[in-house]
Every structure is written in C-alpha cells, then in structure tokens.
Amino acid sequence: MTSPPDMTRSPRRCATPMARAVLAALTLVLAGCASPPSRFYTLTDDTGTPAGSAATSGANVPAARYAVEVSPVAVPEQVDRPQIVVTRGGGRVDILEESRWAAPLKTELTSTISRKLTQHLGAMDVYGLPRADGLTVYRVSTSVQRFESVPGEQAALAAVWSVRRVPGDVVLTCRFAGTEMASGSTGGIDDVVAAQRRLVDRLALGIGNAIATSAQGATPHCER
C-alpha cells in the first residue's frame, strides 16, 4: 500500500532547484541595492577655540561691555546642500551622498563663527533675542563667495564680512581669502573637512580681532 505524502515537509525543502536559484539571486540583488551608511561632518572642532586666539589682544574683554549678533551666513547655491560637494578635474563636481554635513552648510558656518566669537571674545551672541537698552552690539554679516573642497589637494574659502556697531556705524568691511592643504594621511573627505575647519577658524579670528580692537576704542583694519 502506498504511503500518503508527508504534508509536514517545509516549503524550503519542497522548492525546486530553479526556485532556490531565483531566491538566491534576488537576495544578492537586494544586498547590492542597500545604501552604505552616511558619515556626518561638522565645521566645529573639539575645542571650539580658534588657533592663535590665546595670544590675540582683546581675548579677555568682559562680556558685560558688549554682545555680538551673528547673522545667518550667505552661501553659494552650488554647495548649499546636505551633501558635501567636492571639485574634481575638468570642472567636474561630485555630490557625495554618503558624506554629509551634520546641519545645512549655512547653519554649520553660522553656528561655528558664532561659537568661535563668543569663546574668543567672552561675549554673548544675541541674534534673534531681545536685548537691554544701551547694550552695544556688534552685528556680524558674512557672505561666502567660494567654498571649494578638493580631496587630496586643498580647500579654499573666500568671503566678504562686515561688522556694524549698534548703535553706530559700520566698523569694518573686509574680504577673506585663504587655502589650506588637504593632503593628509588619507587624502580623503576627513582631510578636506579638517582643512575647511581651519579656514573657518581663520575667518572667525579676523572678525573677532576687529571687534576686540573696536571695543578697546581703536580703529580696526582688515588683516592680510
């Protein structure tokens, strides 16, 4: 007498060789479509202190004398995106989906400059906040004109900034332009971001020096 079929056999054991091959191929395709994890970067360093600030005159100006007001930084549209944009040869740019800023680039620049100034000067950033009558405020406006990252070579930053004393007039308007080598041990995104971080440090230091000089009653000048 013929035994009845075993209905407890698993679907995997019942699958034909062709079905198993299709399933294996589909698994490989889905694995290949999985996006690699993104890495996030910031322009603020671990210490938050501009290089050389300890030796800068005006670094210990009491906070009670004045405040700063750091307006949002203007950024070129080409780089104003979550992804890090790098420059390649032949005028080509790459938008890196796996390498991103921790915040929008204009926010990264604004918050970094604010942090550098408040720590360097000992002053509060009162942007968007009510303030007491009679408090002198140095209003900082910055427009970035060039923000270029070339992995393995260099980073470049050019910006026009101005400081206005409120109440009062424009204290100073200057242009900053600088480059930093980005050919470190890896020659990759880590190095070019570190180079951009050093450039923003230099930019903030020049702004801070102008504010400190004005607060001491002297006439500030654009640094070369």
Side-chain angles (χ1 to χ4, degrees):
M1 182 175 178
T2 305
S3 300
D6 184 3
M7 302 303 293
T8 63
R9 295 172 61 187
S10 67
R12 179 181 295 274
R13 294 183 59 186
C14 293
T16 65
M18 178 63 72
R20 288 196 295 268
V22 171
L23 180 62
L26 180 60
T27 301
L28 291 175
V29 169
L30 292 176
C33 292
S35 300
S38 297
R39 300 183 66 184
F40 294 89
Y41 295 84
T42 180
L43 289 170
T44 302
D45 59 22
D46 293 334
T47 63
T49 304
S53 64
T56 305
S57 63
N60 296 318
V61 174
R65 292 186 55 187
Y66 61 87
V68 297
E69 185 179 274
V70 181
S71 301
V73 175
V75 178
E77 292 185 4
Q78 294 90 332
V79 294
D80 186 21
R81 59 183 68 243
Q83 304 92 335
I84 293 179
V85 179
V86 297
T87 302
R88 307 295 187 183
R92 193 189 87 195
V93 297
D94 287 345
I95 300 173
L96 307 182
E97 294 293 340
E98 294 80 34
S99 299
R100 295 171 174 256
W101 297 112
L105 182 56
K106 64 175 60 176
T107 304
E108 280 286 325
L109 287 163
T110 304
S111 61
T112 301
I113 292 173
S114 172
R115 182 177 178 183
K116 301 295 183 183
L117 292 179
T118 56
Q119 292 189 347
H120 174 45
L121 300 169
M124 299 179 296
D125 184 354
V126 296
Y127 178 81
L129 300 174
R131 52 183 181 268
D133 293 339
L135 176 65
T136 298
V137 176
Y138 287 91
R139 183 172 297 162
V140 179
S141 299
T142 308
S143 176
V144 171
Q145 299 174 330
R146 182 187 182 193
F147 191 92
E148 186 176 77
S149 304
V150 187
E153 296 184 23
Q154 69 174 20
L157 174 65
V160 174
W161 58 268
S162 68
V163 173
R164 175 187 292 274
R165 185 175 54 245
V166 181
D169 300 321
V170 173
V171 173
L172 194 64
T173 299
C174 297
R175 183 177 188 272
F176 170 87
T179 59
E180 287 280 345
M181 298 301 298
S183 54
S185 57
T186 66
I189 300 304
D190 289 4
D191 292 326
V192 80
V193 169
Q196 287 288 8
R197 190 179 297 128
R198 294 192 296 271
L199 287 169
V200 178
D201 284 354
R202 289 166 51 188
L203 170 63
L205 184 60
I207 297 172
N209 288 345
I211 294 173
T213 300
S214 176
Q216 292 175 336
T219 301
H221 299 281
C222 297
E223 298 181 355
R224 297 184 179 276

